[in-house]
Every structure is written in structure tokens, then in C-alpha cells.
């Protein structure tokens, strides 16, 4: 496969190369990928800066069509993309076909969002020249894009959270050129997807700097990208250490910039007493299905489950253990992620307060073996290390002595992407008393469901307080993600003739507006 990277739509190569790794075997795949040079990285950022003023003032219809053109270009290459992604990620074909559909659906959702125009946030305070004691000038504000955005693709969603994923789609929708740093676990997939975006840029006659894709196996170019003065915001999905490192780079710049990093979450699930009594075995089986889905490699994985000790919990555990014992080892995204999972499990099993309840067959250098662990509420509260994310097919059950301890455990947790309650009507009073805690802790609160699988929709919040993300005010999935890459500007007494179209009296773009006398 052609191992170039893409700078302003042009394929470029360099003397230094690296190879993709087959997830299932840990062996190098055929094809060399050029490592982006510092000069080409700087060129990508400069081209993005040069593209910005044109791209940001494209009419909503132009940007919407561009997003739809990317979706069509991806569909045209779907077979090649999915085939390469299967090799590089170890994820099965059905999952990757679904993920491609989610990716194109996401691009088309943002096309609708751009056309509807609410994102532009037009607000007009009409001039009040006769107002006493002071007249009011004409004031009108709108949202403008922040500037070129750096996007770091995630390893665990090689399509939906990667080169043409949610961060890229929302940044382009906002009017920001994008420079993607491909995840080194899927360089071939990234290049195929990047080529689809570059083709759409050309087809829509947009400036070439609207999109670039850089590649490297290490961290140097990614850090340099965040440090480059042309870059004005960062989107990231990955590890807590990676997110924190890039936040530090962004904060140390002469002009610090926002980093929207989605990092680590253990997604507590609480089984309330009436629900547990009513359907313990069914809950046990569904829990194992969620925690082991695609080797548990979801940031929404149910990492801890909290329930009151007693016969109902015993029935739940019996069903969960039976299901978990039958989970085969599954290929993990990279040998590095497989060994990080092993280390995470080892540290839990070495902990005196933790016991292994059930185990699937042992993993290998590339596969993760499923594990179910248990601890008591007091031990959990005494040891903050038990709240660390273990990325893979495992979960920790926290047995609490009474319902009061449920609240204590939830209060002890850091920020989360999700929090889940399983409840029946008799549980409503207890659930209502827990809701204020969950609101403080999580970005999404679920009843009677499982956190894996995020709907891409208008109301979705895939975010939450640190360390789930670096900024709890936003979401990285769904229509509201566009707001991360916009900022408000107010125009005071600016003549209509020179106002941008979004704010002109004639409203040529037909944007929704709020007007006040
Ligand atoms: N919560 C979540 O959504 C996810 C968490 N993870 C966690 O991350 C671990 C490693 O997985 P990866 O996906 O490879 O995440 P990662 O955070 O190591 O890498 C993500 C991206 O950031 C870059 N990066 C990482 N550290 C950097 C640094 N110090 N400076 C500059 N660039 C840096 C990498 O090159 C890559 O492009 C997993 O074992 C798991 O624990 C992984 C995927 C998703
Ligand atoms: O569960 C999902 O669909 C999304 C999960 C996610 O954002 C992640 O694992 O990085």
C-alpha cells in the first residue's frame, strides 16, 4: 500500500518509515508508512491557517455538501477501508461495517446541523437611539470557528473516533480546517480515510489546507502539532497520560489553547434492590455481554458494578460467572494495549482486598482473557487505586453492606462518561436520592441499560468531569460537539454593508436569529 501522508491534499513521503502491525499476530504488515517530517508538519499547519479565512466563511450549504461528499467518498472505499481496519485493529468485519455506517451517519448529521444554522448563534439587540439616559448601539453576535484544529484519532474506534470521526466532522462543520495525527495502530486505515477526505476537499473546490493527515509511530510530531501557533484547539481520545501530556503542551504555548480530551472512565453501574431481586440472572448475563463486547475496549465499559450483598446478589454473581467463564480470549487492538490490560489485571489481583470471581481462558501476547473481580465497599473506599481504568474485558464488583454505602461509593468516584442505575418502581425513591450525585459525576445517566454503545444524536452527551474528559462543559459525540470549535464575537454598530452575511439585515443565509428590541 502507498505509504504517504497527506499535506494539503498532496501525497508526501520521507526517508523514515514505519509499518502497520497486524493486531492478531503482532507481526508487521506489508507496506511502509512515511514518518511526517517537521517541515511537512509545519507546512500542514501553515496551509490550514491560510485556508481558514476562506473555509470559515463558506456558506452553510457548501460545508454541508462537503461533509456529505466525505461520507460518499468513504462509502466508495468501504471494502478497502474495512479490510485494512480488520487487520490493523483485530476488530471483526461486522463491527467495522457498523462503525463505518456510524461514521458516515455522523458526517451527515453534521451536514443537517450546519444547514439548520442554530450553531451560528445569531443574537441581535436592535439599536435604541432614543433610549435615556444613554442610547443603545446596534449589537449583534454570532459564533465563529476558532481556527485550525488538531485531531488525535483513537485506537479503539479506527473509523468513528479517528481520521473522519466525530472530532473531525464537528470541527469541519464549525468551519475549522483540520490536521489529523493518525493513530499509529492503524496507519493504513487512516491513509485510506484521509484520501477520501482529500478527494472531497478537491471535489468541493475548497482550499487544499482544509485537511491534512500526519503519521508517525511516536509522539514528537503530535506534540509539535499541538505546539504549532496556527493550531487553535485540539480533539483527542485515548489514555489519561496521553491526554494530560498534550494538555501540558497546549498550556505551555505562548498562546495556550483548549484541549478537548476524552480519557478515562470506569462507568459505574448500580443494581438497586428491587431490580436486582426481580431479574438477577438476566442482569448478570447482560453485564458480562457489555463488559466483554469487542474485548471490553470501550471507554464506556462498565468497569465497576455496585450492589448490596445478599442472596439476590449471589444469584446475579452465579449467572455472571457462568457467562464470563465462557468468554474466549479476544484479539486486542495492539500488543501494547494487551500488555497494559495484563498489568492492570495483575495489579488488581495482587490487591489484598480483591478476589477473582471468574476467569475466561487466559489471554496471550495479543489477546485479552476476560476477568470478573470482586471487592467489598470498605476495601474499595480505602484504596483509590481501585478506581483506575483497566482497559479490556474485565470489571470489578463492589459489594456494599447497605444502600447508604452506595451513595458513599458514588461520592468517592472521580468524573465519569456514564453512570447507570438498574431500577424498578420500588427503587425510585433511592434512585431519586442518587441522581444529584450522578449528575455531579457523569455526562450521561442511564436507567436499565448498559453504557457501551453511544447513540450519535442531537441530545447525546459523551463527556463528563475530569478524568473522563479535560473539559466537562462539552461532548465529543453528537450534534453539540460542534460548540467546542466555535467562539462568540459581538459586532457593535458595524455598518450593514460590511457585516458578514450571517448578520446582515437581509439574512441572506436564512439563519435562525433571536432579535430583541
Ligand atoms: N478512555 C478511552 O477512550 C480510551 C482509553 N485508552 C487507554 O489508552 C491506552 C493506550 O491506548 P492508545 O489508544 O494508544 O492511547 P494513547 O493515549 O497512548 O494514544 C493516543 C494518541 O495520542 C498520542 N500520544 C500518546 N501519548 C502522547 C504523548 N505523551 N505525547 C504526544 N502524543 C501522545 C499517541 O501517539 C496516539 O496518537 C489503553 O491501554 C487504554 O488504557 C485507549 C483508547 C480509548
Ligand atoms: O461506546 C461507544 O460507542 C463509544 C465509546 C467511546 O467513545 C470510546 O470507547 O472511546
Amino acid at each position: 500500500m502507498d505509504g504517504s501522508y497527506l499535506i494539503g491534499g498532496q501525497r508526501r513521503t520521507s526517508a523514515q518509515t514505519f509499518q502497520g502491525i497486524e493486531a492478531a499476530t503482532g507481526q508487521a504488515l506489508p507496506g511502509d508508512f512515511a514518518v511526517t517530517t517537521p517541515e511537512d508538519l509545519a507546512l500542514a499547519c501553515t496551509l490550514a491557517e491560510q485556508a481558514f479565512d476562506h473555509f470559515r466563511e463558506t456558506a452553510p450549504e457548501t460545508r454541508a455538501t462537503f461533509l456529505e461528499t466525505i461520507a460518499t467518498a468513504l462509502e466508495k472505499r468501504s471494502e478497502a477501508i474495512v479490510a485494512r481496519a480488520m487487520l490493523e485493529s483485530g476488530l471483526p468485519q461486522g463491527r467495522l461495517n457498523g462503525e463505518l455506517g456510524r461514521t458516515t451517519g455522523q458526517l451527515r448529521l453534521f451536514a443537517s446541523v450546519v444547514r439548520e444554522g442554530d450553531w451560528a448563534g445569531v443574537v441581535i439587540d436592535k439599536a435604541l437611539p432614543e433610549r435615556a439616559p444613554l442610547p443603545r448601539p446596534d449589537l449583534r453576535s454570532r459564533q465563529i470557528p476558532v481556527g485550525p484544529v488538531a485531531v488525535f484519532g483513537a485506537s479503539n474506534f479506527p473509523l468513528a473516533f479517528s481520521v473522519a470521526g466525530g472530532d473531525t466532522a464537528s470541527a469541519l462543520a464549525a468551519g475549522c480546517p483540520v490536521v489529523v495525527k493518525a493513530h499509529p495502530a492503524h496507519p493504513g486505515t487512516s491513509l485510506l480515510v484521509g484520501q477520501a477526505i482529500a478527494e472531497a476537499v478537491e471535489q468541493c473546490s475548497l482550499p487544499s489546507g482544509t485537511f491534512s493527515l500526519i503519521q508517525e509511530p511516536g509522539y514528537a510530531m503530535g506534540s509539535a502539532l499541538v505546539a504549532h501557533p496556527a493550531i487553535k484547539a485540539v480533539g483527542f481520545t485515548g489514555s489519561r497520560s496521553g491526554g494530560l501530556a498534550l494538555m501540558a503542551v497546549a498550556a505551555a504555548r505562548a498562546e495556550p489553547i483548549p484541549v478537548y480530551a476524552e480519557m478515562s472512565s470506569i462507568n459505574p453501574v448500580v443494581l438497586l434492590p428491587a431490580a436486582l431481586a426481580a431479574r438477577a440472572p438476566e442482569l448478570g448475563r447482560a453485564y458480562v455481554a457489555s463488559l466483554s463486547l469487542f474485548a471490553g475496549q470501550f471507554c464506556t465499559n462498565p468497569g465497576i458494578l455496585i450492589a448490596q450483598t445478599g442472596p439476590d446478589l449471589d444469584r446475579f454473581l452465579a449467572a455472571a460467572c457462568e457467562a464470563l467463564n465462557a468468554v474466549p480470549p479476544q484479539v486486542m487492538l495492539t500488543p501494547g494495549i494487551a500488555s497494559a490490560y495484563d498489568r492492570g489485571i495483575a495489579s488488581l489481583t495482587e490487591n489484598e482486598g480483591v478476589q477473582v470471581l471468574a476467569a475466561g481462558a487466559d489471554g496471550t501476547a495479543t489477546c485479552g482473557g476476560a476477568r470478573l473481580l470482586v471487592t467489598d465497599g470498605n476495601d474499595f473506599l480505602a484504596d483509590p487505586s481501585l478506581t483506575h481504568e483497566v482497559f479490556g474485558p474485565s470489571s470489578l464488583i463492589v459489594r456494599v453492606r447497605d444502600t447508604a454505602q452506595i451513595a458513599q461509593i458514588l461520592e468517592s468516584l472521580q468524573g465519569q462518561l456514564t453512570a447507570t442505575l438498574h431500577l424498578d418502581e420500588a427503587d425510585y425513591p433511592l434512585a431519586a436520592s442518587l441522581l444529584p450525585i450522578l449528575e455531579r459525576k457523569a455526562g450521561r445517566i442511564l436507567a436499565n441499560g448498559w453504557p457501551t454503545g453511544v447513540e450519535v444524536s442531537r441530545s447525546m452527551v459523551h463527556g463528563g468531569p475530569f478524568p473522563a474528559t479535560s473539559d466537562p462543559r462539552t461532548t465529543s459525540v453528537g450534534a453539540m460537539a460542534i460548540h467546542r470549535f466555535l467562539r462568540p464575537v459581538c459586532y457593535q454598530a458595524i455598518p450593514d454593508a460590511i457585516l458578514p452575511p450571517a448578520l446582515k439585515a437581509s439574512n441572506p443565509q436564512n439563519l435562525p436569529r433571536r432579535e430583541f428590541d
Side-chain angles (χ1 to χ4, degrees):
M1 117 171 262
D2 163 13
S4 53
Y5 48 88
L6 301 168
I7 305 296
Q10 300 298 311
R11 295 173 181 207
R12 312 271 293 198
T13 55
S14 71
Q16 216 187 328
T17 60
F18 71 107
Q19 285 176 292
I21 301 292
E22 184 174 15
T25 60
Q27 301 299 311
L29 286 163
D32 289 330
F33 291 88
V35 178
T36 302
T37 61
E39 295 73 27
D40 277 345
L41 169 73
L43 181 60
C45 296
T46 304
L47 288 173
E49 192 171 37
Q50 288 166 0
F52 181 49
D53 273 341
H54 176 95
F55 185 56
R56 76 188 178 91
E57 286 303 353
T58 46
E61 183 55 36
T62 307
R63 285 215 297 290
T65 304
F66 172 46
L67 294 166
E68 289 164 346
T69 307
I70 298 173
T72 306
L74 289 173
E75 281 160 354
K76 213 171 74 186
R77 295 166 164 79
S78 63
E79 255 179 58
I81 290 172
V82 167
R84 181 73 191 189
M86 284 169 69
L87 291 172
E88 290 182 332
S89 70
L91 293 168
Q93 188 175 25
R95 149 74 194 264
L96 289 165
N97 279 332
E99 201 183 315
L100 189 70
R102 174 171 165 170
T103 309
T104 54
Q106 206 157 244
L107 287 157
R108 292 186 172 114
L109 171 72
F110 279 110
S112 311
V113 167
V114 173
R115 284 196 179 98
E116 287 157 17
D118 288 324
W119 60 271
V122 176
V123 184
I124 298 174
D125 289 313
K126 290 184 186 156
L128 300 175
E130 311 302 333
R131 192 182 69 173
L134 289 173
R136 183 172 81 185
D138 181 274
L139 293 165
R140 38 193 73 208
S141 63
R142 67 166 178 156
Q143 300 285 333
I144 69 160
V146 292
V149 170
V151 169
F152 286 73
S155 59
N156 61 336
F157 277 78
L159 303 174
F161 284 77
S162 199
V163 178
D167 286 342
T168 298
S170 53
L172 292 175
C176 301
V178 168
V179 181
V180 173
K181 150 71 167 69
H183 197 288
H186 47 259
T189 311
S190 297
L191 183 57
L192 289 167
V193 172
Q195 283 167 338
I197 302 178
E199 179 184 285
V201 169
E202 204 180 338
Q203 234 174 297
C204 296
S205 304
L206 292 168
S208 66
T210 303
F211 173 78
S212 290
L213 173 74
I214 67 164
Q215 301 252 31
E216 66 166 340
Y219 297 161
M221 289 304 103
S223 301
L225 174 62
V226 174
H228 196 283
I231 297 297
K232 300 299 180 197
V234 180
F236 168 95
T237 303
S239 67
R240 183 166 170 167
S241 60
L244 288 174
L246 295 175
M247 284 164 69
V249 174
R253 292 168 41 127
E255 179 199 357
I257 53 168
V259 176
Y260 298 102
E262 186 209 310
M263 297 173 288
S264 82
S265 183
I266 54 171
N267 305 298
V269 174
V270 186
L271 306 182
L272 296 179
L276 183 58
R279 45 182 183 280
E282 181 189 329
L283 286 170
R285 287 188 288 273
Y287 168 52
V288 170
S290 177
L291 75 88
S292 61
L293 185 68
F294 302 122
Q297 300 170 116
F298 286 88
C299 56
T300 48
N301 199 43
I304 66 163
L305 179 136
I306 306 158
Q308 193 176 344
T309 234
D312 293 329
L313 181 59
D314 293 342
R315 290 191 298 123
F316 169 88
L317 293 179
C321 289
E322 189 185 338
L324 192 119
N325 286 330
V327 175
Q330 296 174 75
V331 175
M332 298 199 74
L333 295 158
T334 66
I337 287 177
S339 64
Y341 173 64
D342 282 349
R343 287 196 300 280
I345 292 294
S347 117
L348 283 174
T349 52
E350 282 156 17
N351 189 308
E352 280 185 5
V354 175
Q355 295 88 48
V356 178
L357 262 189
D362 280 345
T364 63
T366 55
C367 292
R371 296 288 183 273
L372 199 53
L373 304 117
V374 68
T375 189
D376 285 333
N378 289 345
D379 289 323
F380 186 83
L381 287 168
D383 186 349
S385 78
L386 296 180
T387 64
H388 294 170
E389 181 186 53
V390 177
F391 191 72
S394 76
S395 185
L396 177 65
I397 292 165
V398 184
R399 276 188 303 229
V400 295
R401 58 167 187 267
D402 53 28
T403 54
Q405 203 174 36
I406 296 177
Q408 249 185 311
I409 302 275
L410 292 173
E411 283 287 11
S412 76
L413 297 178
Q414 293 184 295
Q416 303 294 330
L417 292 170
T418 72
T420 302
L421 299 176
H422 282 273
L423 73 176
D424 273 1
E425 210 168 326
D427 296 312
Y428 286 0
L430 176 56
S433 75
L434 298 176
L435 261 182
I437 306 176
L438 301 184
E439 286 170 345
R440 275 189 278 109
K441 298 288 173 182
R444 177 163 61 111
I445 305 166
L446 301 77
N448 295 329
W450 298 94
T452 39
V454 175
E455 182 75 27
V456 181
S457 66
R458 310 238 167 204
S459 59
M460 177 48 66
V461 176
H462 191 57
F466 183 86
T469 77
S470 54
D471 188 333
R473 294 168 296 182
T474 65
T475 172
S476 65
V477 175
M480 291 189 286
I482 193 172
H483 295 293
R484 296 173 300 169
F485 303 122
L486 294 167
R487 69 179 180 87
V489 178
C490 179
Y491 302 72
Q492 181 167 335
I494 304 291
D496 194 71
I498 61 165
L499 277 173
L503 295 179
K504 280 188 190 300
S506 61
N507 194 8
Q509 294 179 338
N510 204 21
L511 291 169
R513 8 172 95 180
R514 293 167 63 219
E515 297 191 46
F516 299 91
D517 289 320

